[in-house]
Amino acid sequence: MMHNHFIVGLLLVAMNCTSLFATTSDSLRTTSPVGGGSDSIVKLGEVVVSTQNKKRLQLKPIPAIELDASYLHRHLSYSWVNTLANLPGVRAMNIGGGFGKPMIRGLSFNRVAYVEGDLKQEGQQWGEDHGLEVDAFENCPVTVIKGPRSLLYGSDALGGVVVSSLPTFPLKTGFYGEFSALSSTINGSFGGSILANYSTPNYHLRIRYSEQHYGDLRVNTDSITYLTVKIPIYNRRMKNTAGINRALKASFSTKVGAYNGFFQVSDLYEKEGFFPGAHGIPNLSRLQNDGKRYNIDLPFSKVNHFKLYARNSYLFSDSWAATLSLAYQQNRRSEWSLFHTHYTSQKAPERDPNKELALNLHATTIRGEVTCYSIERMKITAVSDFTYKWQDVGGYGFLIPAYRQHNGGIGILAEYNASQDIKWEGGIRYDHGRINATESIDKYLESYLKENGFSPEIISENRVRSKGIARSFGSFSGSIGGAYKIGEYHHLKFDLGMGFRFPGINELASNGVHHGSFRHERGDISLSPERAIQLSTSYSLLLPKIEFSIQGFYHYFFNYIYATPTGKWSVLPHSGQLYEFRQNKALLFGGEAEIKWHWTEAIRYENAIDYVYTYNVDLDSPLPFSPPLRMRQTICYKDKHTELALSHQLIGPALRIVPGEEKTPGAQLVDAYASYELPLQGVSILLSLSVNNILNKRYYDHLSFYRKIGLPEAGRNCNITMKVTF
């Protein structure tokens, strides 16, 4: 049966090689995952096209897509993850306005790391719905690496990495900046961001402040179903889904001789309401329209991510360079709900009685790199990093325990230019980690089970919300890849590696109602680190007016971790079915293909498709959250000041599901985009209008956490953006 699905997948990719989606902006670029981009280079597919119209192929084995500031503004959204969602092979897993995680080739959650500079951001380990805290207005170049990068970043980079570049030293001096604004009709959002820079030949000061407000989400349905109860949606607005986010980031860069220093402090704050119809005990009285769209009432969540970061680089000679990075992060999340208890013996806390859950994570990181260029045609990089994390918990609820964890690794990466047309890259790394957590006893649950006549065995099993943990992990990772330029127009590359991921605290020790996932989740302290063999290949063709590329990948997991329904009803009151984290052998394979036809200097046609097949080898079933087939075609007109684009997106049905998921029908969507740049004396004004789902189609996103409660995606949505550069 699996063999037949494999053939079907290959046929789907092959049949659509001439009907492939790509983003409508010239700023979509495929390039190396390291280093910053230049404004004078536009990279299309596997090709680099310079402003002098010289064409050359980029010889890097690792598949990656680089997005510059113009692309990020073109796809600006109130949720930063949605900015990446149109890239081939990349999806967004959304829940509400502020939460979201990127998915790369069917892998998400803690398998995709978010890295700023060379610092991996911590916080995703709290659970599947706890997303990335990133300023949506930030426009430093972003590189999306579609493949394992455990070699450089260790655990959590098994499925890919999203790398946000650090601000580069500008060529101009003095004061300059920009102002951006955004408004969306789907949730009445409005917000803006101001960026100020001051630069001299030896230092650069950069400060950005952003703020957004959004109201209750407008939806294409009159009801949802939560815990088998039909919940009405009055006026087709999800009450109490409004939110606010603020972000402040300041950085200072300096260069003195061979020394380059970068220092940054950032703070991001988010507050968002929870739809009361899917939080706690279903209560219809809480859903009545209050006539207010922007108020945030109980229940709600708050997130605050604070970060200090210092990066110091020194070029000892033309042959040696070294970098030392130091960082501290504090990520605080709290969930607030009017004190409610299912246990007669539990009393409201004296302080913050409505704080249901509090997670306070601290992380310190030190990372060093040494690079050698002295060997002819070879570059060797040695990297070592160490992170220590500790987390405290609070609130009258329970999800995961307090814990302490340290991870460290050391590796070496070599790049060898065998010739002008052939390049090899490979390396090896070893990581070690240890996690400790104390046992958590729930005396209130124990009393409740006794009062309701549960057996001593069930009481004994459930009185311990999380067992004590004292575990160590160790794993090797390695890869080898090659890139080969054949003649003027052809390019082949491959990458074969062994990746790993340590299990997160939620997978090991969670045991409580996770309101964001609408279920009771229970971890397993016996889980072992994920290990996978991963292969990616690609072929690219560049002709004078046509660019074509096709990429394939294959991931085989020896012990894939996932949450699955047990078929047992949870003993926790009003919590539904019990979900547990388990491990099985699994594989994922698929690919992406793109074609771009430059019909004239101003008009081009683009088309792309991506496909992922997932398979649980042990259970002969798919994996949870398997993305459906997707195809998008775009026709675009662009001259010096104006851009117009019309896109059609085809989303295939999701029919291969696991227990607990719903089959999702396919959909066809039409989007439009228009922008005009008004150059003035010393000032540039860019005005943009995008309309998503023009036909107001009612459809479901199989990857959305709201799919479980029968909530369709947004209907017609208009985004108006403005960017003023001065």
Side-chain angles (χ1 to χ4, degrees):
M1 183 176 67
M2 189 194 77
H3 177 70
N4 293 335
H5 284 296
F6 177 81
I7 295 175
V8 171
L10 291 180
L11 287 175
L12 285 169
V13 172
M15 291 171 61
N16 288 281
C17 284
T18 58
S19 183
L20 316 171
F21 150 54
T23 310
T24 60
S25 171
D26 275 337
S27 57
L28 175 60
R29 310 186 291 177
T30 300
T31 183
S32 164
V34 292
S38 169
D39 290 338
S40 64
I41 295 178
V42 177
K43 304 173 185 174
L44 302 170
E46 299 294 335
V47 183
V48 180
V49 184
S50 72
T51 52
Q52 289 78 28
N53 294 320
K54 296 178 181 178
K55 301 176 181 179
R56 62 183 178 88
L57 291 169
Q58 184 77 336
L59 291 179
K60 295 292 288 185
I62 301 298
I65 306 174
E66 184 177 305
L67 315 173
D68 67 6
S70 61
Y71 174 90
L72 297 174
H73 177 79
R74 160 71 173 81
H75 295 274
L76 181 62
S77 171
Y78 60 86
S79 174
W80 184 82
V81 173
N82 287 331
T83 303
L84 312 177
N86 286 331
L87 301 175
V90 182
R91 310 287 180 98
M93 305 183 70
N94 292 310
I95 177 169
F99 302 134
K101 287 181 182 290
M103 171 182 278
I104 299 178
R105 291 177 166 178
L107 297 176
S108 187
F109 310 133
N110 288 354
R111 299 179 186 92
V112 176
Y114 174 75
V115 174
E116 185 172 16
D118 56 5
L119 172 67
K120 184 169 61 180
Q121 183 164 304
E122 303 291 342
Q124 290 195 76
Q125 53 270 83
W126 288 336
E128 294 177 347
D129 74 309
H130 301 276
L132 297 174
E133 289 82 35
V134 182
D135 182 5
F137 288 96
E138 186 56 82
N139 62 356
C140 289
V142 172
T143 302
V144 180
I145 303 173
K146 298 191 294 184
R149 286 279 73 183
S150 299
L151 261 178
L152 289 178
Y153 305 108
S155 183
D156 298 349
L158 177 63
V161 183
V162 179
V163 182
S164 178
S165 301
L166 301 179
T168 56
F169 237 96
L171 298 177
K172 55 186 175 182
T173 60
F175 174 80
Y176 59 97
E178 69 177 40
F179 170 76
S180 301
L182 165 70
S183 179
S184 299
T185 60
I186 196 67
N187 58 0
S189 67
F190 59 92
S193 179
I194 183 75
L195 173 66
N197 296 266
Y198 185 77
S199 182
T200 73
N202 293 321
Y203 69 84
H204 176 214
L205 179 64
R206 183 181 190 268
I207 302 175
R208 178 185 287 278
Y209 177 77
S210 305
E211 183 165 330
Q212 283 194 81
H213 297 255
Y214 48 93
D216 295 342
L217 184 68
R218 190 181 76 243
V219 296
N220 259 351
T221 187
D222 296 309
S223 66
I224 63 168
T225 301
Y226 175 62
L227 295 180
T228 71
V229 178
K230 190 172 184 179
I231 305 294
I233 307 292
Y234 295 104
N235 299 326
R236 292 200 164 190
R237 291 194 191 278
M238 294 192 72
K239 183 181 177 181
N240 200 45
T241 54
I244 181 175
N245 58 63
R246 300 186 180 98
L248 175 65
K249 180 182 290 186
S251 64
F252 175 76
S253 306
T254 182
K255 54 183 180 181
V256 180
Y259 170 77
N260 282 270
F262 177 83
F263 309 92
Q264 180 173 279
V265 57
S266 62
D267 190 81
L268 187 142
Y269 169 82
E270 294 179 347
K271 181 179 180 181
E272 181 177 76
F274 283 122
F275 176 55
H279 190 103
I281 304 173
N283 188 336
L284 301 185
S285 64
R286 295 188 297 171
L287 301 178
Q288 296 293 334
N289 187 6
D290 58 6
K292 302 175 183 178
R293 190 177 188 185
Y294 292 93
N295 66 317
I296 306 173
D297 203 353
L298 294 170
F300 63 80
S301 68
K302 293 195 295 186
V303 177
N304 200 100
H305 190 102
F306 174 77
K307 181 163 52 182
L308 291 172
Y309 178 39
R311 189 173 191 268
N312 303 275
S313 301
Y314 194 85
L315 183 64
F316 293 96
S317 67
D318 291 340
S319 302
W320 291 92
T323 299
L324 177 66
S325 299
L326 304 168
Y328 167 76
Q329 301 176 65
Q330 183 185 34
N331 201 348
R332 294 179 294 169
R333 178 182 176 90
S334 58
E335 297 182 2
W336 300 72
S337 182
L338 186 66
F339 177 77
H340 60 280
T341 179
H342 309 287
Y343 317 126
T344 56
S345 57
Q346 185 176 9
K347 305 300 180 184
E350 293 183 1
R351 183 179 180 183
D352 295 331
N354 296 324
K355 184 185 289 185
E356 184 174 8
L357 186 66
L359 305 169
N360 188 7
L361 176 68
H362 305 260
T364 59
T365 301
I366 181 171
R367 176 185 175 89
E369 286 189 20
V370 177
T371 303
C372 171
Y373 303 92
S374 60
I375 304 176
E376 185 179 1
R377 295 187 294 181
M378 181 176 288
K379 171 185 172 183
I380 299 176
T381 301
V383 58
S384 179
D385 51 58
F386 178 84
T387 299
Y388 178 70
K389 296 181 282 191
W390 66 100
Q391 177 180 272
D392 302 316
V393 299
Y396 63 84
F398 182 88
L399 181 61
I400 55 177
Y403 73 98
R404 303 290 184 268
Q405 181 177 356
H406 69 260
N407 295 333
I410 185 169
I412 187 167
L413 178 69
E415 301 178 32
Y416 176 64
N417 293 301
S419 69
Q420 185 177 357
D421 299 329
I422 301 176
K423 181 171 184 176
W424 295 95
E425 183 177 288
I428 190 171
R429 175 184 170 114
Y430 178 76
D431 280 79
H432 182 270
R434 181 170 179 82
I435 185 168
N436 293 86
T438 57
E439 184 178 75
S440 299
I441 303 293
D442 191 337
K443 60 182 180 180
Y444 302 116
L445 177 59
E446 182 179 9
S447 298
Y448 167 83
L449 296 176
K450 289 179 179 179
E451 292 171 0
N452 287 270
F454 284 87
S455 67
E457 292 78 10
I458 294 179
I459 295 173
S460 176
E461 177 186 356
N462 289 278
R463 64 185 291 270
V464 179
R465 295 298 289 271
S466 66
K467 299 178 181 179
I469 302 175
R471 297 195 59 193
S472 296
F473 305 106
S475 185
F476 279 97
S477 59
S479 71
I480 184 170
Y484 181 32
K485 177 183 175 183
I486 308 173
E488 184 178 358
Y489 302 119
H490 307 277
H491 186 204
L492 295 172
K493 66 180 182 179
F494 82 95
D495 184 73
L496 174 65
M498 171 73 79
F500 78 97
R501 181 181 71 89
F502 296 151
I505 185 64
N506 64 312
E507 296 164 328
L508 293 169
S510 63
N511 190 3
V513 178
H514 197 171
H515 293 294
S517 300
F518 314 113
R519 65 196 187 195
H520 175 192
E521 294 180 356
R522 186 164 68 186
D524 182 351
I525 64 172
S526 67
L527 295 176
S528 58
E530 284 184 338
R531 293 181 298 114
I533 295 176
Q534 299 168 287
L535 171 67
S536 66
T537 61
S538 73
Y539 164 75
S540 299
L541 170 69
L542 173 68
L543 298 175
K545 288 191 175 184
I546 296 178
E547 302 163 30
F548 170 76
S549 68
I550 184 167
Q551 302 178 6
F553 66 91
Y554 180 92
H555 304 316
Y556 182 84
F557 284 80
F558 297 95
N559 45 7
Y560 185 87
I561 300 174
Y562 64 100
T564 184
T566 62
K568 302 176 183 178
W569 200 259
S570 169
V571 299
L572 299 181
H574 300 96
S575 55
Q577 188 176 186
L578 175 65
Y579 282 68
E580 290 183 342
F581 286 96
R582 296 177 181 173
Q583 286 187 298
N584 286 118
K585 296 182 178 65
L587 65 86
L588 300 90
F589 62 82
E592 307 91 43
E594 301 176 71
I595 189 167
K596 303 179 183 182
W597 177 28
H598 298 263
W599 188 23
T600 67
E601 186 74 20
I603 300 175
R604 68 181 184 275
Y605 172 79
E606 305 176 349
N607 207 318
I609 186 172
D610 55 33
Y611 174 77
V612 179
Y613 178 87
T614 70
Y615 183 65
N616 187 321
V617 177
D618 293 330
L619 301 182
D620 189 25
S621 70
L623 297 174
F625 293 108
S626 296
L629 176 76
R630 184 181 61 174
M631 184 177 69
R632 185 177 182 119
Q633 55 185 340
T634 300
I635 186 166
C636 179
Y637 169 85
K638 185 176 183 180
D639 59 23
K640 185 176 182 180
H641 300 296
T642 304
E643 182 175 1
L644 303 172
L646 184 66
S647 299
H648 169 261
Q649 183 175 192
L650 172 65
I651 304 172
L655 304 179
R656 299 178 64 250
I657 60 172
V658 298
E661 290 185 331
E662 298 285 342
K663 292 183 178 181
T664 303
Q668 297 192 54
L669 306 175
V670 178
D671 303 328
Y673 173 80
S675 68
Y676 181 76
E677 184 176 8
L678 179 64
L680 301 175
Q681 185 65 33
V683 177
S684 175
I685 301 176
L686 178 62
L687 301 173
S688 305
L689 169 66
S690 63
V691 184
N692 305 115
N693 194 3
I694 292 176
L695 303 179
N696 201 31
K697 292 284 188 178
R698 176 173 172 169
Y699 74 103
Y700 297 89
D701 181 358
H702 188 66
L703 303 179
S704 170
F705 282 88
Y706 278 138
R707 178 69 185 100
K708 184 177 178 62
I709 60 175
L711 183 70
E713 292 302 293
R716 184 183 301 111
N717 181 36
C718 298
N719 290 298
I720 301 174
T721 61
M722 177 181 68
K723 183 169 76 170
V724 180
T725 306
F726 52 89

